[in-house]
Amino acid sequence: MIKIENLSKLYQTNKQQVQAVNNVSLNIEKGEIFGVIGYSGAGKSTFIRLINRLEEPTNGTVSIQELDITNMSQAQLRKKRQKIGMIFQHFNLLWSRTVFDNIAFPLEIAGVPKAKRSEKVTELIHLVGLSGKENSYPAQLSGGQKQRVGIARALANDPEVLLCDEATSALDPETTDDILELLVSINQKLGLTIILITHEMHVIQKICNRVAVMESGEVVETGDVLDVFVRPKSATTKRFVQQLNPLEHEQDKLQNFITNHDNSEVIKLHFIGNDAKRALITEIVRKFDVEINILQGSIAPTREGAYGTLYIELNGEKDILSKTIQFIETSGVEVEVLRHA
């Protein structure tokens, strides 16, 4: 669907050069929700603006449906942009226009006849949950309602791709969840490919299929959301994962809960997918003569399945402890021994 090869953006100022995006290559599949996450200054907003050439790349190519966007003339690009919707952090609505007229604006520019325009806008107002707000002005709307107008406007020309640049950053947590659920609904109903830029890991966790992590203009890690959450490789990714799972950097506090039995093992368990719902502790107690001290744990959902982390202390004879850990490993749950007996 979208092929990005060696994409770079170099800004030249009077005093220095700034490499905002550096040699990024990604493939994004049709119909997926692809997240790009990074801290402030990572280059993610520049990256998304390169996709529709709101910023001109210094090097590299962007192809959508096998059409090279980077080599199009301005006339070709204007036509292609009608199939690339975009929503913004601060809504970018026309304050002198009603909800209806804001959504109709891109259709006016495209030369769509008035009757067909009205039909399409009414359809989109219903799709984004704004029925009854057609004649309201942006100043009369909440933040979430303004973003719904922005989403409807971005969908007006039936785009192939929807670009979301920090679309939920200006919203409160409850409204953020509502907007994310709307994006998932649109993705499923329309088969729309969505690229979502954010600095919030819970946004990635909630709706994305795959994610790329950016740092200093480069992609430092990419993969399925569940894999990246469970096995983060780069230091930047680990910091993001810790936002959602603070247990990952509080292992030193476990000492307060350990019984310090002479024969004990302290282990960390990773549960992935259906294993996150498994009654593993009950299975262990029934099968082995061990005592289990649950130290701490957490579980979190992603679009591809749940994942959880559990820290436990096992007390018992050494050979029984060894057999218990072997049983856990063969059950498909990942085991990391933190302290040996």
Side-chain angles (χ1 to χ4, degrees):
M1 172 63 180
I2 302 175
K3 188 174 184 179
I4 298 164
E5 293 184 295
N6 306 317
L7 193 63
S8 296
K9 177 63 178 180
L10 181 66
Y11 290 105
Q12 179 69 58
T13 67
N14 292 333
K15 295 183 179 180
Q16 62 178 345
Q17 292 182 333
V18 178
Q19 188 78 55
V21 176
N22 187 20
N23 202 35
V24 169
S25 294
L26 290 170
N27 287 321
I28 298 168
E29 301 298 328
K30 180 176 175 58
E32 77 172 325
I33 302 180
F34 190 94
V36 179
I37 191 168
Y39 291 104
S40 179
K44 57 190 186 297
S45 289
T46 301
F47 167 73
I48 201 170
R49 290 168 68 86
L50 290 170
I51 293 175
N52 61 359
R53 280 180 60 188
L54 287 177
E55 295 280 356
E56 291 291 344
T58 306
N59 294 298
T61 60
V62 177
S63 298
I64 300 178
Q65 299 283 51
E66 299 184 354
L67 294 175
D68 187 352
I69 303 297
T70 43
N71 286 322
M72 285 183 174
S73 66
Q74 285 300 317
Q76 291 172 321
L77 182 60
R78 279 193 297 271
K79 186 175 181 180
K80 186 63 179 176
R81 276 182 180 153
Q82 292 179 5
K83 296 299 180 182
I84 307 174
M86 189 163 188
I87 58 177
F88 305 88
Q89 178 180 358
H90 297 296
F91 320 126
N92 287 12
L93 302 181
L94 299 169
W95 295 90
S96 61
R97 283 179 167 246
T98 63
V99 167
F100 188 99
D101 291 337
N102 262 283
I103 299 169
F105 186 61
L107 295 170
E108 293 174 29
I109 294 174
V112 176
K114 187 173 181 179
K116 191 172 182 181
R117 212 160 59 214
S118 179
E119 181 183 346
K120 183 66 175 179
V121 172
T122 301
E123 174 190 325
L124 289 169
I125 284 174
H126 177 72
L127 178 67
V128 301
L130 286 175
S131 297
K133 296 291 183 180
E134 295 89 339
N135 298 317
S136 299
Y137 288 89
Q140 299 171 302
L141 303 177
S142 67
Q145 289 170 335
K146 290 172 188 172
Q147 195 56 285
R148 287 173 186 268
V149 177
I151 292 170
R153 181 184 58 187
L155 297 176
N157 283 310
D158 298 317
E160 303 162 336
V161 181
L162 181 63
L163 307 179
C164 306
D165 189 6
E166 297 280 9
T168 60
S169 295
L171 306 175
D172 62 74
E174 184 176 352
T175 306
T176 291
D177 285 345
D178 290 342
I179 294 298
L180 294 178
E181 288 172 8
L182 175 60
L183 290 174
V184 170
S185 175
I186 289 168
N187 167 257
Q188 292 173 340
K189 289 178 181 177
L190 305 181
L192 191 63
T193 304
I194 299 176
I195 303 176
L196 191 149
I197 301 296
T198 185
H199 64 275
E200 300 170 300
M201 198 62 170
H202 77 275
V203 171
I204 301 292
Q205 171 196 354
K206 191 173 181 68
I207 72 168
C208 292
N209 304 106
R210 293 192 298 138
V211 61
V213 183
M214 289 192 72
E215 178 68 28
S216 302
E218 299 180 350
V219 171
V220 296
E221 188 164 349
T222 186
D224 293 340
V225 168
L226 192 55
D227 288 341
V228 170
F229 269 53
V230 174
R231 306 176 191 85
K233 296 179 178 64
S234 74
T236 301
T237 310
K238 289 175 182 176
R239 286 170 63 196
F240 276 119
V241 171
Q242 286 170 2
Q243 292 177 7
L244 296 174
N245 187 6
L247 302 183
E248 293 295 323
H249 59 101
E250 292 184 356
Q251 292 185 24
D252 56 319
K253 296 182 181 179
L254 293 178
Q255 194 62 40
N256 298 328
F257 306 101
I258 295 173
T259 62
N260 289 314
H261 193 282
D262 289 340
N263 290 327
S264 69
E265 298 272 12
V266 177
I267 61 176
K268 173 183 172 183
L269 307 179
H270 271 311
F271 298 86
I272 305 169
N274 290 332
D275 285 329
K277 302 175 183 178
R278 185 175 175 183
L280 181 63
I281 300 301
T282 301
E283 292 180 47
I284 294 170
V285 171
R286 287 174 176 171
K287 193 172 183 66
F288 300 97
D289 184 20
V290 294
E291 295 178 356
I292 298 179
N293 178 22
I294 298 176
L295 304 174
Q296 56 186 3
S298 67
I299 188 169
T302 73
R303 216 179 158 193
E304 303 303 315
Y307 76 99
T309 302
L310 183 65
Y311 294 84
I312 63 174
E313 180 186 22
L314 298 174
N315 295 318
E317 297 298 324
K318 287 187 178 182
D319 61 329
I320 302 298
L321 293 179
S322 178
K323 290 177 181 178
T324 303
I325 292 173
Q326 287 177 8
F327 169 76
I328 297 171
E329 290 173 335
T330 56
S331 70
V333 176
E334 294 187 13
V335 181
E336 180 183 348
V337 177
L338 301 179
R339 195 195 73 180
H340 283 288

